[in-house]
């Protein structure tokens, strides 16, 4: 799993660390936390392959039960950077991405 948060956001960075800790407790391998310039306006779990949808739902369910927030699960859009990597070569070390909207 890769966690992405808004660059320059202390709240986003802290939330990303809490998410990583919770995911690890649930047995999910966290490969990294990355600051990015743009994030969605809502909490999202993206899965990179259709077969990972159930895993994405399980993770979102765990996060919902832990914090009670609304989490949306969806397949990564075809034009997204990670999808291009999938089409160009081997599957990355992660198959789920968590996106955090914190400012």
């Amino acid at each position: 799993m890769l966690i992405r948060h808004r660059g320059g956001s202390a709240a986003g960075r802290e939330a990303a660390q809490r998410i990583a800790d919770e995911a690890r407790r649930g047995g999910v391998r966290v490969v990294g936390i990355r600051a990015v310039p743009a994030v969605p306006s809502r909490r999202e779990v993206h899965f990179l392959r259709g077969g990972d949808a159930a895993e994405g739902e399980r993770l979102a369910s765990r996060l919902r039960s832990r914090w009670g927030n609304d989490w949306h699960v969806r397949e990564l859009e075809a034009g997204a950077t990670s999808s291009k990597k999938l089409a160009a070569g081997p599957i990355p070390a992660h198959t789920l991405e968590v996106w955090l909207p914190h400012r």
Side-chain angles (χ1 to χ4, degrees), residues 70-92:
D70 192 20
W71 288 87
H72 301 273
V73 179
R74 65 187 194 94
E75 188 166 14
L76 194 65
E77 295 174 4
T81 302
S82 293
S83 290
K84 290 178 185 173
K85 289 179 188 173
L86 286 175
I91 301 298

Side-chain angles (χ1 to χ4, degrees), residues 3 5 10-20 67 100 102:
I3 303 168
H5 66 86
R13 187 174 51 253
E14 290 171 21
Q17 189 57 57
R18 285 192 309 272
I19 297 295
W67 288 289
L100 301 172
H102 301 76

Side-chain angles (χ1 to χ4, degrees), residues 57-71:
E57 286 292 343
R58 277 191 294 279
L59 176 60
S61 177
R62 183 176 182 92
L63 298 175
R64 283 182 200 113
S65 68
R66 177 71 170 91
W67 288 289
N69 295 323
D70 192 20
W71 288 87

